[in-house]
Amino acid sequence: MSIGFDYGTANCSVATLIDGEVKPIPLVDEEFYVPSTLCAPTSEVVSEYLFRTLGIKPSDSVGENMLRRAIKLNAEEGLEVRGDEVKFGHEALNLYLEDPQDVYYVKSPKSFLGAMGLRDMQLSFFEDLVCAMMANIRQRAELSLEKEITQTIIGRPVNFLGRGGEESNIQAEGILRRAAQRAGFKEVEFQFEPVAAGLDYEASLTKDKNVLVVDIGGGTTDCSFLRMGPSWAGKQDRRESLLAHSGQMVGGNDLDIFTAFKQFMPEFGLGTQNQSGLELPTTQFWNPIAINDVQAQRKFYGHENRKQIQLMVKEALQPEKLGRLLELYQATLGYALIREAEQTKIALGDASSYEAKIQLLNEVVSIPVIKSELEAAIAVPTDKIKALVKEAINQSGIHPDVIYMTGGSARSPILRAAVNQVLPNTPIVSGNYFGSVTAGLARWADIIYS
C-alpha cells in the first residue's frame, strides 16, 4: 500500500487514503507525530544499528567503508549494538536531557541536507541517519495498519538550502531517496510540501481559486501559487496549475536560533569585553545554537575550541558569564537553549511576557522576555519570510484570492501579521497546521499509485 510521508524538520508523520478519506497513521500509541530526533551512545552506533539490527546494508562503497570503521570503533569502545541502543522522537529527547554529555543526539537532520562542501563520508552518515528514522517510521506505520507499506510520496521543500541552488536540491533529494529505499520503500516519489498542503486545502473548495500557499515549517519556508479547485482535483498532470514557487531555508528553527542569540546569549557573555577592551567574538555565541549549520556546530564543539573558550574566560571582564559558555560547551547544551527559545516563542504567542529558564549545572539562569523584544529578535528571519511571499506574487504576476498558511510555525501571530502586511486585503485561512502537508501527500500518493 502507499502512504504520504512528511519527513519534517520538526516532526515526522504519515497518512494514507482510505475510501477517499485521509487517515493519519498513529505512530506512538495514539500519537500521529514523532519528533525528528535521534539519540545513540555514539554516532558510530547508528551505522552498525542499521546493519546489525535491521539488516539494512550500505548503498555504496563509501557506506561500506564507514560501516567497517563504525564496527571497529564500537568494538574498541566495548559497545555491543542492540536493538534498543538507538532511540527516536520523545524517547531520544528525554534521554539526551537526562545527560547531554553521555549520548550522541541529533535534531532535524533534514536541516543538513543539501549542505555543500561536505565529504563523502559525511554525506553517507547523513543518509544513515535519515534511513534509521525512516525505517523506524515505516515499521511503526506497518504495525499500526497491519499491512506492508511499499510505496510513498515524500514531501520536500522548494529549496533545501538558500545557497547551493539546484545542486543542493539534487544532493538532498538523492539522500532522501536512497534512505527511503534502504528503509524498505520499493517506490519513492516526491512532491513539494506547499503543493501538498494546497492539495489538502483544495479538497474543501467548491469553486476554482488562485491560492497562495505559505508553508512555514521548522527548517524551511515555501510559497506556492496554485490554481486550485474542482477543475483541478484528482488530476495527475497539474503543470498548468502551478503559477509560482519560492522557498528558502528559513523557518521555526531560525526563529528559535535568533531568539536564543538575542535574548539568551548575553547571559553567556555575548556583547561583553575582555580586559583589553575588545568585544568577544560573536561566532562563539552563534555557533553553539546554530543547530541547522553542521559546520558551525563542528567548529564550536571541536576539541580545539575548548582552549579558546578557557582563554576567553581568563581574559573576560565578566568571567562568570563566560563560565556559562564554557559549561554550555562541556555539557553540549546548545539544543537545550534552543528548546527553551522555542518555549519562549510559543508562550509569547498569547502572552505579553515570559520568563525563560535555562538549567545549568549549579544554577538556573532566569531571563525575562517581552513580546516586543521577541519581535525585534526574530526580525531578520521574519523579513526573509515576507520576501518569499513577495517573490511568489511577483513570479505569478497576479493577486491571490486567498492565502493558505500551514506548517507548525504558521501558528505564530507575529508571522501571520507579517504575511498580512504584504497582502493586507487578502483573506488568510488555515487548516491543520501540522497535518496538511501529510494529508496532501497521502492524496497525491493515491493519485500516483492507484
Side-chain angles (χ1 to χ4, degrees):
M1 69 177 301
S2 65
I3 60 169
F5 191 156
D6 183 7
Y7 180 70
T9 305
N11 296 288
C12 295
S13 60
V14 290
T16 191
L17 211 68
I18 299 176
D19 297 329
E21 294 292 324
V22 173
K23 300 295 183 183
I25 302 171
L27 297 173
V28 181
D29 297 326
E30 297 303 313
E31 292 290 323
F32 298 116
Y33 304 99
V34 172
S36 301
T37 57
L38 178 150
C39 191
T42 67
S43 60
E44 288 79 18
V45 166
V46 178
S47 299
E48 186 174 352
Y49 162 83
L50 283 174
F51 178 72
R52 185 99 48 205
T53 304
L54 302 183
I56 296 175
K57 298 179 180 179
S59 60
D60 56 23
S61 59
V62 176
E64 290 171 356
N65 290 335
M66 187 176 67
L67 174 60
R68 282 193 289 270
R69 177 179 177 273
I71 292 173
K72 180 176 181 290
L73 290 173
N74 291 334
E76 290 174 352
E77 292 292 325
L79 291 172
E80 183 181 346
V81 177
R82 303 185 306 273
D84 61 350
E85 291 285 3
V86 180
K87 305 291 187 184
F88 303 90
H90 289 296
E91 282 189 343
L93 176 59
N94 292 337
L95 188 60
Y96 164 73
L97 292 176
E98 282 179 18
D99 194 347
Q101 288 182 288
D102 248 8
V103 296
Y104 171 77
Y105 176 78
V106 61
K107 176 185 178 183
S108 310
K110 184 180 177 183
S111 298
F112 303 143
L113 301 185
M116 293 287 96
L118 299 178
R119 299 188 301 274
D120 288 345
M121 289 280 277
Q122 292 172 310
L123 295 174
S124 185
F125 178 63
F126 288 159
E127 184 183 312
D128 277 0
L129 286 176
V130 175
C131 180
M133 296 172 73
M134 286 186 167
N136 175 62
I137 296 295
R138 179 172 175 263
Q139 286 179 347
R140 290 174 180 270
E142 288 183 336
L143 283 173
S144 183
L145 295 173
E146 298 182 343
K147 292 182 180 178
E148 184 183 16
I149 301 170
T150 60
Q151 301 167 319
T152 186
I153 300 291
I154 300 174
R156 54 151 288 186
V158 175
N159 291 305
F160 283 87
L161 289 177
R163 54 196 180 279
E166 193 54 26
E167 186 179 354
S168 287
N169 293 332
I170 292 170
Q171 174 186 287
E173 190 172 293
I175 290 173
L176 287 173
R177 184 182 297 278
R178 291 189 299 274
Q181 290 170 338
R182 291 172 64 200
F185 294 105
K186 296 177 182 177
E187 295 181 69
V188 180
E189 298 295 338
F190 295 89
Q191 179 58 276
F192 288 137
E193 290 162 350
V195 173
L199 292 173
D200 188 49
Y201 174 59
E202 182 178 63
S204 69
L205 295 178
T206 56
K207 64 178 183 178
D208 290 353
K209 289 185 178 182
N210 295 321
V211 181
L212 177 62
V213 180
V214 181
D215 179 13
I216 309 176
T220 56
T221 292
D222 293 299
C223 301
S224 287
F225 208 139
L226 304 144
R227 291 191 177 102
M228 311 204 87
S231 299
W232 298 98
K235 288 187 176 181
Q236 187 167 339
D237 185 355
R238 298 194 56 134
R239 284 172 291 185
E240 293 184 7
S241 74
L242 308 179
L243 304 176
H245 289 303
S246 65
Q248 191 176 349
M249 189 178 172
V250 56
N253 282 350
D254 296 271
L255 303 179
D256 301 335
I257 290 167
F258 273 84
T259 298
F261 182 70
K262 295 284 189 179
Q263 299 300 128
F264 298 171
M265 294 313 287
E267 296 299 324
F268 291 78
L270 175 64
T272 62
Q273 297 177 338
N274 61 21
Q275 294 172 11
S276 300
L278 299 175
E279 194 164 298
L280 299 172
T282 302
T283 53
Q284 290 283 15
F285 305 97
W286 177 264
N287 288 349
I289 55 174
I291 62 169
N292 55 4
D293 187 335
V294 64
Q295 302 291 6
Q297 292 278 285
R298 183 179 295 111
K299 188 173 183 179
F300 181 80
Y301 289 111
H303 180 71
E304 63 277 6
N305 197 39
R306 175 193 291 268
K307 291 182 179 179
Q308 185 60 41
I309 298 174
Q310 289 172 332
L311 182 62
M312 288 168 57
V313 175
K314 184 177 179 180
E315 296 180 346
L317 288 176
Q318 295 179 283
E320 70 283 357
K321 288 189 175 183
L322 270 296
R324 292 170 181 161
L325 184 69
L326 181 60
E327 185 172 340
L328 188 158
Y329 169 91
Q330 293 170 331
T332 322
L333 292 176
Y335 282 113
L337 264 68
I338 292 301
R339 187 167 179 266
E340 185 60 21
E342 181 182 19
Q343 294 302 313
T344 302
K345 177 187 67 180
I346 293 170
L348 291 177
D350 300 317
S352 59
S353 64
Y354 176 76
E355 187 164 330
K357 294 183 182 296
I358 300 169
Q359 178 68 59
L360 300 180
L361 183 61
N362 296 313
E363 65 171 322
V364 176
V365 182
S366 296
I367 305 170
V369 184
I370 61 176
K371 194 166 190 173
S372 61
E373 292 174 340
L374 176 67
E375 291 172 346
I378 64 175
V380 171
T382 299
D383 287 344
K384 288 181 180 179
I385 291 170
K386 290 166 67 175
L388 291 172
V389 173
K390 294 175 184 176
E391 182 183 343
I393 296 168
N394 291 337
Q395 281 184 29
S396 68
I398 60 175
H399 195 92
D401 298 317
V402 63
I403 304 165
Y404 180 67
M405 289 190 69
T406 189
S409 296
R411 296 173 300 164
S412 166
I414 296 173
L415 295 185
R416 292 177 73 86
V419 173
N420 185 250
Q421 289 175 10
V422 179
L423 294 162
N425 299 315
T426 305
I428 297 177
V429 299
S430 58
N432 184 332
Y433 288 113
F434 292 100
S436 61
V437 170
T438 315
L441 292 171
R443 293 182 185 280
W444 192 246
D446 187 67
I447 293 170
I448 294 297
Y449 294 124
S450 61

